[in-house]
Amino acid sequence: MHLCRQTFAVAIILLATPSVAAPHHGGRILRQLETSAPPVILVSNETKSQEPDIDMFAYMTGKCSTLKVAGRDFACRAVAYFHSQQGRANFTIALDDPTDNSHIISFSGENARREQDDLYELSVDHMLLNSKDRPKVDGLPVPSAELSAGTCKQIGSFAAARVSSISCSATDKDGKKYELQFESDGSPMTVRTIKQGPPTERKRRARLNERLECRNKADVAKILPRDLTAYIIRCLAEDSSQKPATDEPQ
């Protein structure tokens, strides 16, 4: 199966790869979210590097009042939504785990529905589990995919870049349970659509410079290693929101 590393670490690589970011447009995003396609699931024994296929992601700020992973309680450092070109969607959470800076989980599924404008539901069929002990590809841990059953519900709208809450619950094939209850702080979501463009050298350098600038800002701000991933994602998202969008490759 195709390798799909839709985690926060991958978001950094995604934003550094040749692509064109476009602002969120209601109709287009809704069509993307409602598209159903064959599943794209990571397999833990695949070690070949492949291009990320994420075409949209949304970053939201707030707090996790509940975050349970196989019976353990955690706080969260960051929460985001990823959608792939193949139709698979992930609600991804970076855990606040003092013992593991790479502890990230995703509620993943390919079947979603929106029966109301402000209610998005995703049927979860896999949990993607990442940690510092996972095998690495391009220096990044590759999450394992655990067959699961559950649901995620988001109150809010990607088109309006607003979210009120996200609740997820899933149980994997071994009976381990995963729960998330997230409440927004009221700030607008950062929503980006990603259009893959030709890998020009100029674009590669521009993305790399953005990434390096954010790393430098993190060093100046003395960001702790466990908070570095979430900080860089916010930094890249803020930088992109201040630049004019481009629909066609330059």
Side-chain angles (χ1 to χ4, degrees), residues 14-82:
L14 173 66
L15 296 176
T17 56
S19 61
V20 178
H24 54 84
H25 296 290
R28 181 166 61 186
I29 286 183
L30 291 179
R31 285 195 297 272
Q32 290 173 337
L33 297 181
E34 292 167 356
T35 299
S36 176
V40 179
I41 289 291
L42 173 148
V43 289
S44 58
N45 61 353
E46 189 168 356
T47 57
K48 292 180 64 177
S49 175
Q50 300 187 29
E51 290 296 321
D53 71 341
I54 296 171
D55 58 13
M56 190 273 273
F57 84 87
Y59 173 78
M60 52 281 291
T61 58
K63 66 177 182 179
C64 298
S65 57
T66 300
L67 180 56
K68 295 180 180 291
V69 179
R72 295 181 60 191
D73 292 313
F74 291 92
C76 63
R77 292 187 285 118
V79 176
Y81 170 89
F82 294 88

Side-chain angles (χ1 to χ4, degrees), residues 1-5 10 13 17 43 45-53 136-140 142:
M1 286 182 285
H2 179 63
L3 177 64
C4 185
R5 291 171 288 158
V10 168
I13 289 183
T17 56
V43 289
N45 61 353
E46 189 168 356
T47 57
K48 292 180 64 177
S49 175
Q50 300 187 29
E51 290 296 321
D53 71 341
K136 291 181 173 59
V137 172
D138 294 335
L140 296 171
V142 178

Side-chain angles (χ1 to χ4, degrees), residues 48-212:
K48 292 180 64 177
S49 175
Q50 300 187 29
E51 290 296 321
D53 71 341
I54 296 171
D55 58 13
M56 190 273 273
F57 84 87
Y59 173 78
M60 52 281 291
T61 58
K63 66 177 182 179
C64 298
S65 57
T66 300
L67 180 56
K68 295 180 180 291
V69 179
R72 295 181 60 191
D73 292 313
F74 291 92
C76 63
R77 292 187 285 118
V79 176
Y81 170 89
F82 294 88
H83 183 268
S84 79
Q85 296 176 15
Q86 304 298 320
R88 178 160 290 275
N90 290 345
F91 282 101
T92 300
I93 305 97
L95 278 62
D96 188 1
D97 185 348
T99 66
D100 188 350
N101 296 331
S102 300
H103 202 171
I104 299 171
I105 68 170
S106 293
F107 294 84
S108 181
E110 61 170 338
N111 294 317
R113 62 180 181 178
R114 183 184 295 279
E115 295 184 349
Q116 304 174 27
D117 289 342
D118 62 348
L119 176 60
Y120 172 78
E121 296 184 62
L122 175 68
S123 295
V124 176
D125 55 32
H126 283 79
M127 289 298 302
L128 305 185
L129 309 176
N130 211 343
S131 70
K132 63 183 179 181
D133 299 323
R134 295 295 308 153
K136 291 181 173 59
V137 172
D138 294 335
L140 296 171
V142 178
S144 64
E146 301 296 331
L147 188 64
S148 305
T151 305
C152 284
K153 294 183 180 181
Q154 175 184 282
I155 306 298
S157 169
F158 291 108
R162 293 283 181 179
V163 62
S164 175
S165 65
I166 300 169
S167 60
C168 294
S169 179
T171 303
D172 69 18
K173 65 182 187 305
D174 296 321
K176 295 179 181 178
K177 296 183 178 181
Y178 307 85
E179 295 181 41
L180 167 70
Q181 182 62 49
F182 169 84
E183 288 86 28
S184 170
D185 62 7
S187 301
M189 288 189 288
T190 297
V191 181
R192 289 192 67 186
T193 57
I194 309 298
K195 181 178 180 181
Q196 298 299 323
T200 63
E201 184 63 26
R202 181 172 61 83
K203 286 182 183 178
R204 277 196 293 266
R205 290 178 179 176
R207 297 299 185 188
L208 179 59
N209 287 338
E210 290 177 7
R211 187 177 172 188
L212 291 175

